Amino acid sequence: MSVQAVDFRTGPAPLSKEARRAEIEALFQLPFLDLLARAHEVHQKHFDPNSIQLSTLLNIKTGGCQEDCKYCAQSSAYDTGVKAEKLLDREEIRTAAQQAKDAGAGRFCMGTAWRDLKDRDVERLAEIIGDVKSLGLESCMTLGMLSPDQAARLKDAGLDYYNHNLDTSPEFYPQIITTRTYQDRLDTLSAVRSAGIKVCSGGIIGLGESRTDRAGLLQSLADLEPQPESVPINKLVPIDGTPLGDVPEIDVFELVRTIAVARILMPRTVIRLSAGRRSLSDEGQAMCFFAGANSIFYGEKLLTTGNPDHEKDQVLFAQLGLKPETVVREMHCGDE
Ligand code: SAM
Ligand code: DTB
Ligand code: SF4
């Protein structure tokens, strides 16, 4: 029998990527209730499990995107009925941010259907960030690929978070997007991190990927150093006209498992139950919160599709005893 040599100065050799992937898949394979119990224990240790962070999303530039993301309503490659529009006016965005704040949101997230940020737009976006910050909201933008200089300028303007998703595993990715690479996405995340902006990065489940791909997505996210402050887990919202418009819906237990594994792998990260809540029952959402989700998109619209309205979410919070918080803070336990 061969015995792995251990260097006693450095401890056992770190696991290979393949071995780590196998460990993550083994978490997915735990009996459902055991997995939930483990995830909830981690959640309780790091967060108040009854607190939930609320982010409101506004599409500030709709449609006409040159990328070919197979799930997306805004790609010009597919006929989805979404028309291309101009960047919204500063005043319109400020009004929407004020309304989000009045409704109880703590963060205002702005998205553009762009492949990448153009230098000519940077100063307008900097003004918009200033407006959102002046209302006392956290700011987040998702504008496609960013250069290090652009990220530094957005940081100067006061941007708190940048959202840029890895979407799926590196292996499955080329089946979903061909117009930019996984490495392009990692490069943008690295520019964001170097600029000192907090990283929001997650993915989508229900694209037709395997469980190994879901494990691979979480592995890629958990391997970022440091790990993202925010991880949105989106359940595919099927869009007519896209190549994924009629893929079979993912099982709710698989969504809950994905959130639970994310919570175990990224104990200090705020995990957002993102797109797809309209297709979940209240009980399904409650399981996601128990498994470790502690943030949602709050407000009746995502980018081009619907989301539960404020009133419906407020009823659910009351039923579950969840306290909406503008900022959910990780508790320092000092033992890891
Ligand atoms: N254009 C920018 C980009 O892709 O980086 C920013 C906006 S983009 C719409 C942000 C993310 O939303 C995608 O990466 C994907 O994870 C998620 N998303 C888009 N369409 C979705 C859908 N139909 N269902 C679930 N998630 C979706
Ligand atoms: C994220 O992870 N999910 C949001 C946000 N980041 C930009 C987008 C969800 C989009 C859902 C489909 C739509 O409304 O077009
Ligand atoms: Fe464009 Fe973003 Fe949609 Fe991809 S996800 S097509 S980059 S708007």
Side-chain angles (χ1 to χ4, degrees):
M1 191 176 81
S2 76
V3 176
Q4 193 190 5
V6 173
D7 180 335
F8 289 102
R9 289 160 304 177
T10 57
L15 288 179
S16 67
K17 282 231 170 219
E18 293 71 24
R20 248 177 73 70
R21 178 81 63 100
E23 281 200 345
I24 297 170
E25 285 189 67
L27 287 174
F28 270 91
Q29 276 145 23
L30 285 172
F32 183 74
L33 298 179
D34 287 346
L35 174 59
L36 241 63
R38 272 184 67 171
H40 193 69
E41 192 184 332
V42 173
H43 193 185
Q44 277 181 312
K45 191 162 145 197
H46 291 274
F47 292 96
D48 173 351
N50 302 306
S51 286
I52 187 153
Q53 190 277 337
L54 307 182
S55 290
T56 292
L57 190 52
L58 179 69
N59 204 1
I60 63 171
K61 157 69 186 89
T62 300
C65 184
Q66 301 147 39
E67 300 285 301
D68 69 352
C69 311
K70 285 200 172 71
Y71 48 77
C72 187
Q74 304 194 80
S75 166
S76 55
Y78 318 120
D79 188 4
T80 64
V82 172
K83 303 266 169 305
E85 291 173 17
K86 295 198 319 268
L87 187 63
L88 294 184
D89 286 341
R90 186 173 169 184
E91 203 41 43
E92 207 173 333
I93 299 169
R94 216 196 69 86
T95 304
Q98 180 68 61
Q99 284 166 353
K101 178 161 170 92
D102 294 345
R107 189 176 311 157
F108 195 63
C109 307
M110 294 155 274
T112 60
W114 286 337
R115 169 182 169 74
D116 53 13
L117 174 58
K118 301 284 185 291
D119 283 340
R120 62 171 184 263
D121 292 315
V122 171
E123 289 314 309
R124 278 175 77 188
L125 293 164
E127 287 173 354
I128 292 166
I129 293 166
D131 289 346
V132 170
K133 293 297 294 173
S134 73
L135 298 175
L137 285 159
E138 290 184 320
S139 57
C140 177
M141 284 188 165
T142 177
L143 314 167
M145 294 186 281
L146 277 192
S147 70
D149 285 352
Q150 291 171 335
R153 177 66 191 103
L154 297 179
K155 168 71 183 170
D156 269 1
L159 188 67
D160 296 301
Y161 287 82
Y162 195 80
N163 168 237
H164 197 66
N165 290 342
L166 293 179
D167 276 351
T168 189
S169 68
E171 297 79 15
F172 191 64
Y173 182 91
Q175 295 193 43
I176 300 299
I177 299 134
T178 68
T179 48
R180 77 165 88 137
T181 66
Y182 214 73
Q183 189 58 48
D184 289 333
R185 293 191 183 237
L186 292 168
D187 291 347
T188 291
L189 292 179
S190 154
V192 169
R193 182 57 83 196
S194 302
I197 300 171
K198 295 189 188 87
V199 170
C200 174
S201 185
I204 315 185
I205 71 159
L207 300 168
E209 77 287 350
S210 65
R211 189 178 260 185
T212 307
D213 292 313
R214 291 187 278 282
L217 165 67
L218 297 183
Q219 179 174 16
S220 299
L221 294 168
D223 279 354
L224 294 171
E225 283 179 36
Q227 294 183 334
E229 282 81 3
S230 164
V231 166
I233 302 290
N234 296 279
K235 173 174 182 278
L236 177 71
V237 180
I239 308 284
D240 283 348
T242 63
L244 302 181
D246 51 17
V247 290
E249 185 179 0
I250 194 145
D251 178 57
V252 63
F253 297 121
E254 193 62 18
L255 169 65
V256 178
R257 281 181 190 277
T258 306
I259 289 172
V261 175
R263 170 52 67 223
I264 293 167
L265 297 179
M266 295 174 276
R268 300 182 156 84
T269 294
V270 174
I271 296 175
R272 181 173 309 130
L273 174 59
S274 300
R277 285 200 300 121
R278 278 230 304 212
S279 67
L280 295 175
S281 66
D282 289 351
E283 296 88 334
Q285 292 190 62
M287 278 195 290
C288 293
F289 300 141
F290 188 79
N294 53 356
S295 170
I296 55 166
F297 281 123
Y298 178 65
E300 63 192 22
K301 197 157 174 215
L302 293 167
L303 293 173
T304 66
T305 65
N307 195 43
D309 60 29
H310 296 134
E311 291 73 22
K312 186 167 181 356
D313 278 338
Q314 291 292 346
V315 170
L316 183 61
F317 301 156
Q319 283 175 313
L320 301 180
L322 281 177
K323 299 177 299 253
E325 305 278 0
T326 44
V327 180
V328 169
R329 289 192 198 288
E330 191 235 336
M331 301 182 291
H332 294 282
C333 26
D335 56 349
E336 278 174 55

